[in-house]
Amino acid sequence: MGYLTFDDGLVTLDGITLNAIFQDINIKTSVRFDEAKVDGASGKKKTPQGFEDSEISISMILLTDDISDCYEKLEEINSLFKGIDKNTNPKIYTITNRHLLARGVREVVFASLDSVETNNSDEINITLRFIEHNPPIIKMEETKAKQPTAKELAEESKQETLTTDYVFTVEDN
């Protein structure tokens, strides 16, 4: 497992500082909905079902300078993108960035690399996209943690019964 860090505008991926100009970072998290068609009604009923994994986009510019041109820099970043772990899976990176940590993102997978070149300059604009990594075991533990136990449900039910006022009417026959 490698690290994804940001210090003073420098992005470091797996110990390698990217030779690029940091532009911005965008973090997107959204609610997951279950959509069901309702008979006799237009549209769909949406029921919130939790949260989608966060999507992180980092925009950077690769310049041509005395050290290397923008294409060589792109090749280096592309090799990081295509890097694999010992099981030939895409690498998982641990986050050390305060912005991402504030959003609750702890681990990511390098999901895509976009590059755009224009005719106007000798530079390449790139976007590194990462997807939050939540292993199934962690997701199951979080789900179980949210579900009340049978004992808790029984105690909750008992409390509701004790706090409810009942009015009984006795009739003489």
Side-chain angles (χ1 to χ4, degrees):
M1 187 176 320
Y3 288 94
L4 173 61
T5 63
F6 303 83
D7 278 328
D8 301 323
L10 298 176
V11 178
T12 303
L13 192 59
D14 212 14
I16 299 170
T17 300
L18 304 184
N19 193 0
I21 298 173
F22 175 78
Q23 293 288 121
D24 59 51
I25 183 170
N26 180 26
I27 304 162
K28 176 185 173 188
T29 307
S30 57
V31 173
R32 179 182 308 125
F33 289 98
D34 179 35
E35 296 182 6
K37 182 141 174 67
V38 179
D39 292 336
S42 64
K44 295 180 179 181
K45 178 182 176 187
K46 292 183 178 184
T47 306
Q49 297 291 313
F51 295 93
E52 297 287 348
D53 292 336
S54 295
E55 299 174 15
I56 298 95
S57 297
I58 301 171
S59 298
M60 304 181 84
I61 300 173
L62 304 176
L63 300 174
T64 296
D65 55 26
D66 296 337
I67 299 169
S68 61
D69 65 24
C70 56
Y71 304 104
E72 293 168 329
K73 293 173 183 170
L74 181 59
E75 285 176 14
E76 181 181 17
I77 294 171
N78 191 58
S79 69
L80 290 170
F81 168 63
K82 293 189 176 181
I84 54 175
D85 65 13
K86 63 182 185 224
N87 297 323
T88 67
N89 294 318
K91 285 186 180 179
I92 298 167
Y93 296 93
T94 301
I95 299 298
T96 63
N97 175 265
R98 289 188 66 193
H99 185 171
L100 288 165
L101 292 172
R103 296 287 304 268
V105 178
R106 303 290 182 256
E107 294 181 338
V108 295
V109 174
F110 198 161
S112 70
L113 173 62
D114 299 339
S115 58
V116 177
E117 181 179 21
T118 65
N119 202 13
N120 300 336
S121 62
D122 196 15
E123 63 187 38
I124 296 175
N125 295 318
I126 61 171
T127 303
L128 293 73
R129 288 194 175 79
F130 298 87
I131 300 291
E132 181 179 14
H133 175 67
N134 287 317
I137 295 169
I138 292 174
K139 285 186 178 182
M140 283 183 5
E141 287 173 355
E142 288 174 352
T143 303
K144 286 184 180 181
K146 294 177 188 174
Q147 295 175 345
T149 64
K151 183 179 178 182
E152 291 170 337
L153 289 172
E155 288 176 10
E156 186 179 310
S157 176
K158 185 177 178 182
Q159 287 295 334
E160 288 177 11
T161 303
L162 292 175
T163 59
T164 305
D165 294 328
Y166 290 98
V167 177
F168 295 98
T169 306
V170 178
E171 294 181 18
D172 290 330
N173 285 339

